[in-house]
Structure formats: structure tokens, C-alpha cells
Amino acid sequence: MCRLMAYLGVPLPLEELLYKPSHSLIVQSYQPQEMTAGLLNADGFGIGWYHTEQSTQPFCYKNILPIWNDINLVDLARYVNSHCMVAYVRSATPGLAVDLGNCQPFKSGSLLAIHNGYIEDFRQTLYRPIREKLCDRLYQSIHGTTDSEHLFVLILQFLDQLGGPPNDPESLAIALSQMIQFIFQLAQPLDLKVGANMVLSTGTHLIVSRAANKEPVPTLYWLQQEQGVLIASEPLMDATWQSLPEQSVTVVNLNGQVHTKTIF
């Protein structure tokens, strides 16, 4: 299980979010408190951000090193300011390679995506059924081997079928919900465990799911501060964090409004 974080609000240096909180993503990489599988998140990390609210192309920085070993990230996090960012630290599923092709965030146009969870025995079970659902363009866009990337591309497939703009938050929320329902249906006859905590970002909205088909559902919290909204697998600091409802999709906008809808 990975640990993830997202932020939307007034521009902040990345170091304010990555390094300064007492239980930051750096700390969660080696001392997580609420993981339901695995012990460490030492199999790489990734960060995605937008330069301005008008940015149509986000930036990404990825590495297969543990996040605490990347000496370049310290200066990068001091230099970059952003109003919208996503980040994660990876605990690789056994059998899925630790390489840059399998590092998140995943990107498509203005979209960024990060995922915490897994599909049980993915390569032996749902790998082919998911790929058979995809059009040729999306099938060929997959670079890695992870269940996470396949779930993201499946969202893009449902988004195409809806016919809406690729960065429309309502369409993305529907596509995310449809993906989760589809995966759960595929998993049911095989009695597979699926975790689907995901964050999609457009630069102006965060679209967030907290879902799993079996207990326990991986944790996911949100915090509204004066400067913006934080999403995190585990609270980053002492504050009034709220747990996102299980089996739900939440949309956050730049005004700090948070709207949640239950999937099931």
C-alpha cells in the first residue's frame, strides 16, 4: 500500500507540504501508521504540480529511490511553488517492477492521477479483462505494468464514453465511479480484493475516491485550512482532519468547497 497526498489552494512552496509537517509524506515513507498492507514505502515516489491556475500541462518529478534518499528533492521543493500538487510514496506490489515506468503520478493532458491500493493477483486475474475494455489509443498509451496505471487508463476510457471535456470535474467524478463499479464487478466472481483510493487532478479541481470491495477500506482524510484543502492517507499534523466516507467520490474546487457522493 502506498501513501498519498494532494493539495489545492493558494500557492505554497512544495517543502511546506512535503517536509515541514510532523507526519509528512517523508516520515510516512519509513514510519507509516495506518497501512493495511506492507511496512515501508521505499520503492520510489513521485510528485506532480501545476505552475499556475491557467497551466494546461502539469509537471512531474519521479524517482525509484526512497524519498528520504533523494538529495535533489530538497532544493526542488524549496524552489517550486504551486497551488495544486499531488504526491505519493510507493510500496510496490510483489511482482511489479520498481522502475520509472511504474512510478506515479500518471499523466494525460492536464490530468494527473495517483492511486493507493491494489488488485489482488493483478497480472494473473484482471490484467487481460481490463485491457480488453480499452480502445486502441488508450491500450497503447500504457507504459508500465502496474494495476494503478491500468485503473487510470480505464477511467480515461469511461471518460471518453461520456463524451465530456477531459478536465470537467463532474465527468471525471462519474468516470471514476464507473471505473470502481466495473472493477468490483470483475473482481466479485474471482473473490479478489481491490483497493481504489485515487486522486485525480485537473489543476483547478481534485477528484478523490475512497473505496475497496473488502474490509478494511484504506484510510483517506481531508483537512480544510485557510490556505486550502489537503487530502492524505494519514494526517500530516495535529489538526481537525476528517475521514472521507467509505465507497465515495469527492470533488474539491479552488474555492475550498468539498462535495462528496456515495458510490454504493
Side-chain angles (χ1 to χ4, degrees):
M1 302 290 284
C2 305
R3 302 287 81 183
L4 58 79
M5 178 188 71
Y7 169 77
L8 184 66
V10 301
L12 292 175
L14 296 190
E15 70 170 348
E16 292 287 334
L17 304 170
L18 289 175
Y19 285 96
K20 292 193 175 180
S22 57
H23 192 56
S24 68
L25 207 61
I26 311 292
V27 176
Q28 291 181 36
S29 65
Y30 59 81
Q31 200 171 42
Q33 297 177 348
E34 300 186 35
M35 286 176 65
T36 58
L39 298 174
L40 295 173
N41 297 281
D43 299 316
F45 69 93
I47 303 162
W49 69 92
Y50 300 78
H51 183 58
T52 68
E53 293 178 24
Q54 291 73 40
S55 298
T56 57
Q57 292 292 328
F59 298 88
C60 287
Y61 180 75
K62 306 178 184 184
N63 203 326
I64 60 173
L65 288 173
I67 193 170
W68 66 79
N69 275 351
D70 188 328
I71 62 174
N72 294 314
L73 181 61
V74 179
D75 286 337
L76 180 70
R78 289 174 50 232
Y79 175 74
V80 173
N81 284 266
S82 180
H83 69 285
C84 182
M85 63 91 71
V86 298
Y88 97 120
V89 287
R90 186 183 182 204
S91 176
T93 301
L96 298 182
V98 178
D99 59 34
L100 286 175
N102 285 340
C103 269
Q104 305 177 41
F106 304 113
K107 182 166 64 170
S108 176
S110 62
L111 292 179
L112 291 173
I114 50 176
H115 169 234
N116 169 39
Y118 68 97
I119 298 173
E120 185 179 4
D121 297 327
F122 169 62
R123 297 285 290 181
Q124 293 76 38
T125 58
L126 300 191
Y127 178 81
R128 183 181 291 272
I130 290 174
R131 285 184 162 241
E132 289 174 349
K133 179 73 174 176
L134 303 175
C135 67
D136 286 346
R137 175 179 60 85
L138 291 173
Y139 185 102
Q140 294 170 19
S141 73
I142 298 173
H143 297 291
T145 59
T146 63
D147 46 6
S148 300
E149 185 177 13
H150 283 73
L151 293 182
F152 174 52
V153 174
L154 193 54
I155 293 168
L156 300 180
Q157 180 68 54
F158 282 112
L159 187 64
D160 276 2
Q161 293 172 4
L162 290 170
N167 60 350
D168 174 60
E170 294 304 320
S171 296
L172 284 164
I174 293 170
L176 178 54
S177 299
Q178 290 177 338
M179 181 278 290
I180 292 170
Q181 293 177 56
F182 175 73
I183 289 296
F184 285 5
Q185 288 169 3
L186 287 181
Q188 185 174 6
L190 300 172
D191 195 31
L192 299 174
K193 185 174 182 178
V194 177
N197 283 10
M198 296 196 74
V199 178
L200 306 175
S201 170
T202 68
T204 58
H205 291 80
L206 300 175
I207 301 91
V208 184
S209 65
R210 182 187 178 204
N213 65 343
K214 295 185 179 183
E215 296 291 340
V217 179
T219 57
L220 196 59
Y221 300 89
W222 69 280
L223 174 67
Q224 189 148 27
Q225 298 178 301
E226 184 177 349
Q227 64 265 40
V229 174
L230 277 166
I231 306 286
S233 296
E234 301 180 14
L236 304 177
M237 74 289 280
D238 288 335
T240 311
W241 291 83
Q242 299 182 58
S243 181
L244 287 167
E246 296 181 0
Q247 321 302 5
S248 69
V249 169
T250 298
V251 177
V252 183
N253 67 25
L254 266 172
N255 295 324
Q257 296 171 320
V258 180
H259 301 286
T260 298
K261 178 181 287 189
T262 301
I263 302 172
F264 302 115

